Amino acid sequence: MLLPLAYLVIRAAEADPAQLASLIFRTRNLVLLHNTVLLTIGVVAATTVLAVPLAWLVVRTDIPARRAITLLSVLPLSVPGYVMAFALLGLGGNYGFMARVFNISLPRPSGYWGALVALSLYCFPYVFLNVRASLSGLDASLEESARSMGHGPARVVLRVILPHLRPALFSGWLIVAIYVLGDFGAIALMRYEVFSYAIYSQYAGAFDRVYAAWLSLMLLALALIPVVMEGRLLARARFARTGTGVARRIRRTALGVWRLPALLFVALAFAASIGLPFGMLGYWLSLSSPWAELPRVARAFLFSAGAAAPAAMAAVFIAVPLAYLRVRYPSALSRATERIVYVGYALPPLALALAMVFFSLRAARPLYQSLPLLVAAYVISFLALATGPIRAALLQAPRRLEEAARSLGLSPLAAFVRTVVPLLRRGMLASMVLVFVITMKELPITFLLAPTGYTTLSVAVFSRTSEALLAEAAPYAAAIVLFSSLFVGLLLRYEGRGE
Amino acid sequence: MLSITRRIVCVVMLASLSVAAFAAASAEAEEITLYSGRGESLVDPLIRRFESESGIRVRVRYAGTAELAVLLAEEGERTPADLFWGQDAGALGSLAAAGLLAELPTQLVDGIPDIYVSTTAQWVATSGRARVLAYSPERVSAEEQPASVFDLTKPRYRSRVGWAPTNGSFQAFVTAMRVAYGEELTLQWLRDMRANDTQVYRNNTALVEAIAAGEIDFTITNNYYLLRFLANDPDYPVEQRFFEDRDIGNLVNVASVGVLRSSNRFDAAVRFVEFLLSPEAQRYFTDTVNEYPVIAEVPPNAALESFQRLLLASPRIDLDSLEDLQGTLELLRQSGAL
């Protein structure tokens, strides 16, 4: 984690002070900063409004087709940002879908609201997954006690449920916020100018690493604000059940007359977050000849999965001990280690990849542009995604269970494996899904660090869209979405069987 | 946990097997490594031709031109690449300036028009793309057409023009304007464009789409984007033309290729460059990719202006002078466009 930081500092030190000052102390940076902060807050709010009701409906109510709703709530993760943006843009305008099919010319979304909608529609699953894991791990007896003490349902939600969702919400928000800070593709398509604009134009416009390093450090500083805030807010909270006996099974609320509005909300959310991009992909596919490309798509998929699957597993195996130390042995050190994973996540991926190039060429030449190095870079970049759900699950795992296992003569490791790991299962699965799916979409790190000739699905998509061949890119983009969906579906199925 | 783990392990093993097979296959014949900023679907058919004709294997790393240029700068002498093929002259120029490119043999670049070769012969264009004015035939009348790119700052074009300040080919155009007209005039033009409410878009594709969508009426872009839209949809409601002859708005930018100085397979790399300049490859660029050939002996593509017309319309700019992108970025920032 610290290697990329060191790299940025090395590069930043090469700067010429006068030019640096003109780049960094521009009033326009303030405008960009202002836009960035506004957008981040907006997206965090919008994803919450989408995700929390969905999670609650799925876990706590008798809404039909819960499994399907869960799956559909995670699926938008598999949609690459530019597909979502193109889909939104392709709807409106004089020559858009609506104009050509229904003869209605809608204005195309753009600017703040366009960016907000596009980002929210594929980021809300981060919040959903976190909240859902937390809601289903919550001991129902807590709520029942609150009810028995005379609190109404609304007060129970406010006083008992929401406070317990805090870690899940915070870690979801953190992931979304940092994602928004760093995203460039969808935001640029929506013509909203944010801070990542400045970094992108420095690398891509001037092929410059020195000033881009400065801008990356500035972005990193910005991203650390929510990281520190989250750490502070959660520092002293305890969320595990302390009661004896078995946790109460969750009692589902009957929706009654609310059933229809709830289903309507769900339908609307999915029409936008899944219907739109899938429809767009389908339209592109119809313009291309997907079957001729099939062998290449299959090969690119193997490459993608061959990097994404080990990255997902490695991230989870590293995240579990990190989160465990943080939760069970809180100290300044364990807190710091756990926070540091966000450095990797908040770094602009191009800067991170260059850092890996820099160090591996000097210290580990044989590893350069090899699969293990690529996987390692993915893990550094996305470890933060894996820690959130695991930590939230761990916070709900009572320490007493482990103590009991120890007192029965198990070694610390065995006690951990036999008592805590089963309770972490949901969290670990969620982590794996998150890392796998985002890795499938990743570009800059893959560009620089994949073995030469290792053309993954996302690279294949890029190298077609960059030549304005949208239809040719469609089979590969569809494969990303399809295989990510299958992976999500597989995990959810497995998770369901465990119940 | 087990069943799912097993499935994942299966996938991983399959994938790593295919990777291993792929590595083993590449161990035999002579082999060169190409970093390509040009897209796979365009490049791959050419690579296959070259491999079967020459017996030299080409390993290709596909990525963005900018990312690859930054990567090559970071790798320096340690790069595994023998060749770099980029979407614009600026990327090659920045590597040439950093001393990372080798000089190409003179007989290779003899007979290619000056606008297509670096003055130090460190890179050569593989195809040309002209900057053009794209417009909406529905909303723009004949007498409304601007004669020069400098006209776009006039009040009648207010809010009707789109541009993409982060785009590489746009920045190369601004650099050319600086070289031809100086910093002051260029800065003035940029400021006037901003003051005239020129709309900002992500890239050339987005610009052309914005005309079709009715958001803007004009844009300055590269010639081949519209042609690719038209290939999928002949009714696409956008047209394009040159400004008057020699206008800086008609700049010819290039996709170009260079051999890395650190390469120890120089001859094989040069053979690949030679192949890209051959009539066969040039014909492919002209017919399939809708770009301008760099040699004269290629039958013209009906969708493009003729090669001779292009040489007439294009301004006289030394493409090597387009390497100072830092200066252009600074100007763009001063004007508030970035």
Side-chain angles (χ1 to χ4, degrees):
Chain A
M1 285 300 164
L2 294 175
L3 279 186
L5 261 187
Y7 165 81
L8 282 180
V9 173
I10 291 174
R11 282 283 168 251
E14 293 170 16
D16 160 51
Q19 205 174 356
L20 184 65
S22 75
L23 182 66
I24 292 191
F25 302 108
R26 319 198 288 149
T27 41
R28 193 170 150 78
N29 279 355
L30 284 181
V31 177
L32 294 180
L33 208 63
H34 174 244
N35 286 353
T36 307
V37 171
L38 271 190
L39 185 67
T40 309
I41 294 172
V43 174
V44 162
T47 49
T48 311
V49 170
L50 266 175
V52 173
L54 279 175
W56 183 76
L57 283 172
V58 164
V59 179
R60 289 305 176 91
T61 70
D62 61 347
I63 196 163
R66 284 188 293 269
R67 185 66 66 67
I69 293 176
T70 308
L71 178 65
L72 290 174
S73 304
V74 187
L75 268 194
L77 275 185
S78 64
V79 177
Y82 76 90
V83 172
M84 190 63 91
F86 271 130
L88 283 168
L89 287 171
L91 267 188
N94 288 352
Y95 207 63
F97 177 79
M98 296 301 276
R100 294 166 78 180
V101 178
F102 301 111
N103 225 350
I104 321 169
S105 185
L106 299 170
R108 298 200 303 170
S110 72
Y112 179 75
W113 293 104
L116 179 87
V117 170
L119 281 169
S120 304
L121 283 182
Y122 67 89
C123 281
F124 81 84
Y126 290 124
V127 181
F128 173 84
L129 271 174
N130 274 301
V131 170
R132 172 175 167 274
S134 179
L135 265 181
S136 46
L138 199 58
D139 188 347
S141 59
L142 265 178
E143 292 156 55
E144 283 163 12
S145 336
R147 293 295 287 274
S148 73
M149 287 167 155
H151 288 305
R155 276 183 76 85
V156 172
V157 170
L158 225 58
R159 299 281 301 268
V160 179
I161 300 185
L162 277 184
H164 275 86
L165 289 185
R166 253 165 45 205
L169 275 176
F170 285 165
S171 67
W173 287 344
L174 194 55
I175 294 295
V176 171
I178 296 179
Y179 186 93
V180 174
L181 287 179
D183 184 76
F184 176 72
I187 293 178
L189 277 171
M190 287 298 175
R191 318 206 290 125
Y192 189 64
E193 297 180 1
V194 291
F195 202 72
S196 54
Y197 229 71
I199 299 182
Y200 176 82
S201 63
Q202 200 60 27
Y203 275 123
F207 316 111
D208 168 79
R209 294 162 293 151
V210 175
Y211 300 99
W214 274 98
L215 294 168
S216 303
L217 286 172
M218 284 168 75
L219 186 76
L220 196 60
L222 193 62
L224 287 182
I225 298 172
V227 172
V228 171
M229 263 166 52
E230 193 224 11
R232 282 277 154 79
L233 287 170
L234 287 183
R236 262 177 289 283
R238 257 190 287 127
F239 301 94
R241 55 188 296 271
T242 50
T244 49
V246 182
R248 298 268 305 171
R249 296 267 331 191
I250 293 157
R251 204 167 45 94
R252 294 186 186 275
T253 311
L255 281 172
V257 290
W258 290 102
R259 198 183 179 91
L260 199 65
L263 282 173
L264 220 71
F265 169 77
V266 170
L268 211 65
F270 293 152
S273 64
I274 296 181
L276 261 183
F278 280 53
M280 191 72 194
L281 273 178
Y283 171 67
W284 283 347
L285 269 180
S286 73
L287 293 178
S288 69
S289 45
W291 304 119
E293 287 281 302
L294 208 57
R296 283 161 161 269
V297 174
R299 203 179 87 123
F301 163 70
L302 277 184
F303 283 156
S304 279
M313 285 191 286
V316 169
F317 282 121
I318 297 173
V320 168
L322 276 184
Y324 185 76
L325 286 178
R326 162 78 172 83
V327 171
R328 285 291 184 265
Y329 305 98
S331 69
L333 184 69
S334 67
R335 260 205 301 281
T337 1
E338 203 232 18
R339 301 278 93 178
I340 239 171
V341 302
Y342 288 97
V343 171
Y345 181 56
L347 270 177
L350 193 57
L352 190 149
L354 284 175
M356 301 296 277
V357 171
F358 181 85
F359 286 108
S360 64
L361 276 178
R362 278 164 183 77
R365 189 68 210 264
L367 277 182
Y368 185 58
Q369 291 182 347
S370 70
L371 196 57
L373 192 74
L374 177 66
V375 170
Y378 285 148
V379 171
I380 293 179
S381 189
F382 300 128
L383 190 53
L385 293 179
T387 52
I390 290 178
R391 186 188 51 187
L394 205 52
L395 282 169
Q396 289 177 334
R399 156 175 259 165
R400 175 178 308 206
L401 277 177
E402 268 171 282
E403 289 164 357
R406 290 292 302 283
S407 71
L408 291 171
L410 288 182
S411 70
L413 185 67
F416 173 77
V417 170
R418 299 202 27 199
T419 61
V420 182
V421 169
L423 293 174
L424 290 188
R425 208 188 54 216
R426 257 211 189 94
M428 285 165 69
L429 286 175
S431 299
M432 247 188 236
V433 172
L434 288 177
V435 178
F436 182 87
V437 169
I438 201 167
T439 310
M440 292 281 283
K441 299 193 284 186
E442 205 284 332
L443 265 185
I445 295 177
T446 320
F447 276 165
L448 267 53
L449 295 175
T452 295
Y454 197 90
T455 306
T456 63
L457 289 172
S458 57
V459 171
V461 168
F462 172 86
S463 70
R464 282 159 185 77
T465 51
S466 70
E467 303 272 3
L469 302 168
L470 292 184
E472 278 82 348
Y476 297 89
I480 293 182
V481 173
L482 182 73
F483 287 114
S484 303
S485 315
L486 282 180
F487 191 78
V488 171
L490 208 74
L491 286 184
L492 286 177
R493 214 180 88 116
Y494 163 75
E495 186 194 70
R497 214 188 303 145
E499 274 177 307
Chain B
M1 203 73 214
L2 255 182
S3 75
I4 185 71
T5 318
R6 226 182 286 138
R7 270 182 247 191
I8 294 172
V9 167
C10 272
V11 172
V12 177
M13 276 174 46
L14 267 177
S16 41
L17 270 180
S18 70
V19 176
F22 158 88
S26 62
E28 303 143 15
E30 184 170 19
E31 168 179 289
I32 50 177
T33 300
L34 166 69
Y35 281 9
S36 174
R38 302 231 58 181
E40 185 181 12
S41 49
L42 301 182
V43 174
D44 194 61
L46 279 176
I47 302 274
R48 306 227 159 176
R49 281 300 299 171
F50 174 72
E51 285 185 333
S52 68
E53 279 176 21
S54 66
I56 298 170
R57 244 191 72 88
V58 187
R59 291 171 24 108
V60 194
R61 163 174 300 269
Y62 294 102
T65 298
E67 280 89 350
L68 288 175
V70 176
L71 173 62
L72 282 165
E74 191 66 70
E75 290 177 336
E77 298 288 313
R78 298 177 171 88
T79 183
D82 300 300
L83 289 146
F84 175 41
W85 191 5
Q87 293 271 25
D88 57 78
L92 272 293
S94 78
L95 293 181
L100 291 172
L101 296 182
E103 213 169 288
L104 296 168
T106 41
Q107 73 273 17
L108 190 68
V109 293
D110 271 354
I112 290 177
D114 288 348
I115 59 164
Y116 284 139
V117 192
S118 126
T119 41
T120 51
Q122 295 191 54
W123 53 261
V124 59
T126 54
S127 59
R129 40 275 286 277
R131 300 284 301 170
V132 291
L133 176 77
Y135 59 93
S136 158
E138 297 154 21
R139 299 185 297 277
V140 176
S141 60
E143 82 274 10
E144 248 188 330
Q145 296 283 5
S148 161
V149 75
F150 285 102
D151 290 341
L152 293 176
T153 58
K154 290 184 177 160
R156 71 191 311 187
Y157 302 117
R158 188 171 172 77
S159 310
R160 298 174 67 192
V161 183
W163 67 1
T166 53
N167 177 261
S169 50
F170 172 78
Q171 291 172 357
F173 152 72
V174 174
T175 315
M177 191 185 262
R178 287 170 54 218
V179 171
Y181 296 94
E183 306 285 320
E184 220 163 293
L185 209 70
T186 309
L187 181 60
Q188 195 55 48
W189 181 77
L190 289 170
R191 287 201 165 129
D192 291 347
M193 287 291 281
R194 288 257 306 158
N196 214 19
D197 193 29
T198 300
Q199 302 290 307
V200 178
Y201 287 85
R202 161 90 169 91
N203 55 26
N204 289 298
T205 315
L207 283 169
V208 175
E209 279 182 332
I211 294 183
E215 287 173 1
I216 51 172
D217 297 341
F218 299 94
T219 185
I220 39 179
T221 177
N222 288 351
N223 72 294
Y224 51 94
Y225 287 97
L226 175 58
L227 301 179
R228 286 175 201 165
F229 279 105
L230 287 172
N232 277 334
D233 176 4
D235 300 326
Y236 203 74
V238 181
E239 288 176 10
Q240 63 186 23
R241 55 180 278 271
F242 283 131
F243 293 100
E244 62 190 12
D245 282 358
R246 299 274 181 261
D247 190 81
I248 195 74
N250 303 340
L251 177 77
V252 174
N253 204 342
V254 294
S256 44
V257 65
V259 177
L260 274 304
R261 217 183 50 193
S262 53
S263 164
N264 46 21
R265 287 175 288 267
F266 184 77
D267 292 336
V270 165
R271 275 189 74 183
F272 183 70
V273 177
E274 212 168 7
F275 171 76
L276 292 181
L277 300 177
S278 70
E280 181 190 2
Q282 286 298 310
R283 206 171 164 160
Y284 174 80
F285 290 127
T286 314
D287 294 348
T288 313
V289 193
N290 284 320
E291 294 176 351
Y292 288 98
V294 299
I295 58 174
E297 53 271 27
V298 173
N301 171 347
L304 297 175
E305 303 268 4
S306 76
F307 187 57
Q308 285 70 24
R309 178 79 190 81
L310 175 78
L311 292 182
L312 271 182
S314 65
R316 292 283 88 106
I317 292 287
D318 168 15
L319 286 179
D320 265 309
S321 63
L322 302 189
E323 156 273 307
D324 178 25
L325 280 158
Q326 192 64 53
T328 296
L329 283 191
E330 229 150 273
L331 217 59
L332 285 168
R333 281 193 204 108
Q334 265 182 51
S335 71
L338 270 188

